[in-house]
Structure formats: C-alpha cells, structure tokens
Amino acid sequence: MSSLKEILINKNITCKSIWFMRQAGRYLPEFRKIRDQNKDFIKLCLNSALSSEITLQPIKRFNLDSAIIFSDILLIPYASGQDVTFLKNKGPKLGEFNLKKFLNRDLDIFIKNLDPVYKAINQARKKLDKKKSLIGFVGAPWTLLVYMLNLKEKDNRISLSKINSKKNNLDLILTKLNEFICLHIQKQIEAGADVIQIFDSWAGEIPEPELNSFCYLPNQKIVKFCKLNKIPVICFPKGIKENYANFNKIIEPDGLSIDYDIDPCWAAKNLTNVVLQGGLHPKFLSESDEKMYVETKKYLDAFKDVPYIFNLGHGLRPETDPEKLNKLIKFVRKYI
Ligand code: 1CP
C-alpha cells in the first residue's frame, strides 16, 4: 500500500508522506516547455499522453510520494457544456451559464467529453511506482459555482447578489452538479486513481449562515459517495477558519487539508479523528532557507504525534524556484 493510503486508511503515524497541491505545472520548466507549445489549456488537459507525462514530472524530479493527475476543476463545467477558456496571466473565463442546457446535459456526453482524463489517469498509473498514490480530484460544488456563475468580482470578493438571483433554481443546480462530480470521481477511480481530493478553494467566502447549505452538505454528499466506493478522501475547505472543527465533525473525511490561516497547534488539538494535511504558507518558499525551515518545523512539531501528510496551505505558486522546493523536501524528509 502507498504511504498516503497507509496514513489515510490505517492512520499509521510512523508512515510519513509528502506531496504538494499544484505540484504538476506552472512553476516547473519542463511543464512550461510543453505549455508554450500547447496554447489551449483545455486541449492540453484533454491530451492524455501529455497530461500523464506532466502528472509524472514532479515525481521524476523530486521523488514525491504521490502524483496528482494533471487536469483542472473547471473541466466539469466544460464537460457540462459551458464555454471555458484560460486567458494568459488572467486565469479562467467562463461563458454565460445556461440553466436549461446544464440541467438537461446527458451524462453519457458529459463522460465522453472527459474520457481523455480517464485515459491519462490509466497511463500515469501504469508508469507510477505501485508504492505511490495517484490522486484524482474534483472541485466542490460551491467553488465550481463561483466560476460557473461568475461570482468573483475584480477584488476577488464573491458577489452574493448574483447567487441570490438564482435562489429558486439553486437546489436543482446543486443536485445536478453533485451528479456530475460523483460520476467524475467514479470514473477517476475506475481509471486508477486511489485517493480523491475535494478542493473547496472559495469556501472561506461563504457567509456563516449559508455554510451548511453551500459547504457542509455538498461536501458531505461527496465524501459519503467516496466512502461507499471505498476510496480515501481528503477535503480542503479553504478559509473557513475555526469552522474547520465543525466541518470535520459533520463531514468526517479521511483527510483534512488545512490552509495557512489555521494554527497548527490549534489544529492538533481541535481537529481529531482525521488525518491532517498541509498548512505551510506557500509564500515561505520565496523567503530565506532559514525562515522556510523555521516555519516548516512548526507544522512538523505540532503534528509529530498524529498522522500527518506534509503539504502546503494552498497550491505552489508559479514563481516558486524548483530548487527551493527541493530543499524543503530534503528538510522534511530528514526531520520526519
Ligand atoms: O496557464 C496555465 O499554464 C494554466 C495554469 C493552470 C494549471 C497548471 C491552471 C489554470 N490549472 C492548472 C492545473 C490544476 N488545477 C491542477 C493540476 C494538478 C496539480 O498539480 O495540483 C489542479 C489540482 C488544479 C485545481 C484548481 N483549478 C483549483 C483548486 C486548487 C486551488 O489552487 O485553489 C482551482 C481554484 C482551479 C481553477 C484554476 N485553474 C487555473 C487557474 C489559474 C485557476 C485559479 C484561478 C483563480 O484563482 O480563480
């Protein structure tokens, strides 16, 4: 069994594991070379040979314990029929959301559109050492809605008025989204993914009274689905602060990825019966080695007696120097 699964399933504290969110892509020169020749990001994600190669690039370079499939959370809106484009240095831009088209989308067409992702998982799994996990992933419903309904304002705040105007249809949208997400998970498992991570990157923008309907319930449904399929699942409800404790009690995921606002000592005390992951602010990879090591040690010390997966409090930044990441990995491996 891979070290990641060994920790998630058996809560084995002697077994340590390292991987990084957004480890495949952006900051790696070998990725940039491929990216420069493939201007259409969606097409690149749907090129099975290239996306399986990109998935394995950080494993070859750093011998990390797990690979995460090179894909994107926005392939779900894409496969459901919405226009999705990625603008250089500006991020994703989605076309107008068409409720009727979305609700009537045939599941077979949805899956057919994503077939290259499953082929990529299959190819990457074959080339990946059996002791390493291949992580499949999805965006949580709320985080997908932020993009699908174009809720993000220029200052990165979320416009709730836009979601309020859709209130009557919200249950229908969430139900269909859940169906797409679970199907996408099932297909990733069948193709060879052995752990699933749910990214709820914008959970911190949900007003407290709505946390239950937009964050807890939708994540709980997906976690239940993963458990039914006997696949370990890690949740990442970024930005919900002390509500991480409620999230953990209600949803009961196998793993919980903490963001950089969560104090590791608080987490060790308050987030129990779960395997913790992550925490270190990705910005420390742009500071001095000493500062990076001091900050890293805070997490390794706080979690030395509990099952812990080393990772960051959010994804690796595009400006990260791969050599700096190498130093961090060496430090963590020596320490644990
Ligand atoms: O222009 C480029 O080269 C594309 C950059 C890029 C890459 C490499 C995007 C655009 N997505 C990805 C891959 C990706 N996205 C992975 C690959 C596997 C890995 O190494 O982790 C994963 C897991 C994601 C997940 C993802 N996409 C999230 C959740 C994680 C997070 O960072 O919060 C989100 C929010 C997205 C949307 C997205 N896709 C791309 C960008 C720039 C964004 C974020 C835009 C924003 O900030 O709103």
Side-chain angles (χ1 to χ4, degrees):
M1 195 185 277
S2 75
S3 60
L4 186 63
K5 264 186 131 172
E6 182 67 38
I7 300 174
L8 287 166
I9 294 174
N10 298 327
K11 306 221 173 356
N12 183 343
I13 74 160
T14 61
C15 203
K16 303 293 176 186
S17 203
I18 312 176
W19 72 281
F20 294 94
M21 291 188 269
R22 311 300 286 267
Q23 68 188 22
R26 303 203 290 188
Y27 70 105
L28 279 182
E30 54 270 40
F31 165 75
R32 290 228 191 90
K33 209 171 143 200
I34 295 179
R35 178 75 171 105
D36 284 346
Q37 292 158 2
N38 293 272
K39 302 281 183 231
D40 183 330
F41 183 70
I42 293 272
K43 270 197 187 148
L44 177 57
C45 289
L46 296 174
N47 180 326
S48 309
L50 287 179
S51 51
S52 63
E53 182 184 333
I54 297 167
T55 301
L56 299 173
Q57 282 176 344
I59 312 302
K60 284 193 183 130
R61 194 187 256 260
F62 304 114
N63 192 25
L64 293 160
D65 297 308
S66 300
I68 179 160
I69 186 66
F70 178 78
S71 178
D72 198 87
I73 62 165
L74 299 178
L75 287 192
I76 285 190
Y78 163 80
S80 73
Q82 195 166 2
D83 266 349
V84 181
T85 42
F86 287 84
L87 307 172
K88 209 172 164 72
N89 303 326
K90 277 204 172 150
K93 188 169 167 34
L94 275 69
E96 194 68 34
F97 176 73
N98 182 325
L99 178 69
K100 215 168 143 207
K101 192 172 171 188
F102 177 76
L103 294 178
N104 292 324
R105 188 63 160 189
D106 185 77
L107 291 181
D108 288 337
I109 295 176
F110 173 80
I111 285 305
K112 201 163 178 279
N113 283 335
L114 293 178
D115 199 51
V117 176
Y118 313 130
K119 288 210 171 85
I121 291 177
N122 194 269
Q123 289 171 17
R125 182 65 273 178
K126 279 185 188 145
K127 289 188 187 147
L128 189 65
D129 184 329
K130 284 199 179 56
K131 290 196 207 81
K132 297 185 192 291
S133 274
L134 180 54
I135 304 165
F137 68 89
V138 289
W142 163 259
T143 289
L144 291 182
L145 281 184
V146 166
Y147 295 99
M148 292 167 65
L149 305 181
N150 196 11
L151 303 182
K152 215 155 47 125
E153 302 287 3
K154 282 198 180 69
D155 57 1
N156 260 354
R157 304 304 296 188
I158 301 297
S159 154
L160 283 162
S161 57
K162 274 193 199 155
I163 203 148
N164 287 336
S165 72
K166 296 254 180 335
K167 262 234 144 84
N168 292 338
N169 297 311
L170 217 49
D171 279 348
L172 284 174
I173 299 175
L174 283 172
T175 303
K176 185 80 181 182
L177 210 41
N178 177 261
E179 221 175 315
F180 285 142
I181 289 170
C182 289
L183 198 53
H184 189 38
I185 289 176
Q186 191 190 330
K187 290 283 170 189
Q188 292 185 72
I189 300 170
E190 283 168 18
D194 37 31
V195 170
I196 296 292
Q197 173 145 331
I198 307 168
F199 287 96
D200 211 349
S201 308
W202 294 100
E205 293 294 320
I206 303 172
E208 190 105 18
E210 313 280 4
L211 263 177
N212 197 45
S213 47
F214 289 148
C215 177
Y216 300 159
L217 284 176
N219 274 281
Q220 186 181 44
K221 280 188 184 157
I222 305 168
V223 166
K224 279 191 174 156
F225 181 82
C226 290
K227 288 187 174 178
L228 217 63
N229 282 279
K230 302 202 170 8
I231 188 124
V233 56
I234 304 169
C235 286
F236 183 42
K238 182 176 178 287
I240 63 168
K241 302 200 160 64
E242 62 279 6
N243 284 316
Y244 255 94
N246 291 328
F247 184 98
N248 186 40
K249 275 196 201 109
I250 297 167
I251 285 95
E252 297 184 321
D254 301 292
L256 190 55
S257 210
I258 55 171
D259 65 60
Y260 43 73
D261 283 337
I262 299 291
D263 176 65
C265 295
W266 178 87
K269 237 189 250 150
N270 293 285
L271 305 176
T272 50
N273 295 320
V274 70
V275 177
L276 293 173
Q277 167 179 283
L280 180 71
H281 201 306
K283 73 177 181 192
F284 291 123
L285 278 118
S286 303
E287 300 203 12
S288 71
D289 292 357
E290 282 63 36
K291 176 77 178 157
M292 177 174 78
Y293 296 147
V294 166
E295 293 299 326
T296 302
K297 221 169 142 294
K298 287 183 189 167
Y299 290 88
L300 300 176
D301 286 340
F303 300 132
K304 70 178 186 314
D305 298 324
V306 296
Y308 178 58
I309 302 158
F310 190 79
N311 202 318
L312 301 177
H314 199 192
L316 278 162
R317 293 177 165 186
E319 66 272 18
T320 307
D321 173 2
E323 254 326 292
K324 190 81 171 186
L325 182 60
N326 206 11
K327 283 184 182 170
L328 174 62
I329 295 166
K330 283 199 171 129
F331 178 80
V332 175
R333 287 215 196 284
K334 224 186 215 167
Y335 203 80
I336 56 181

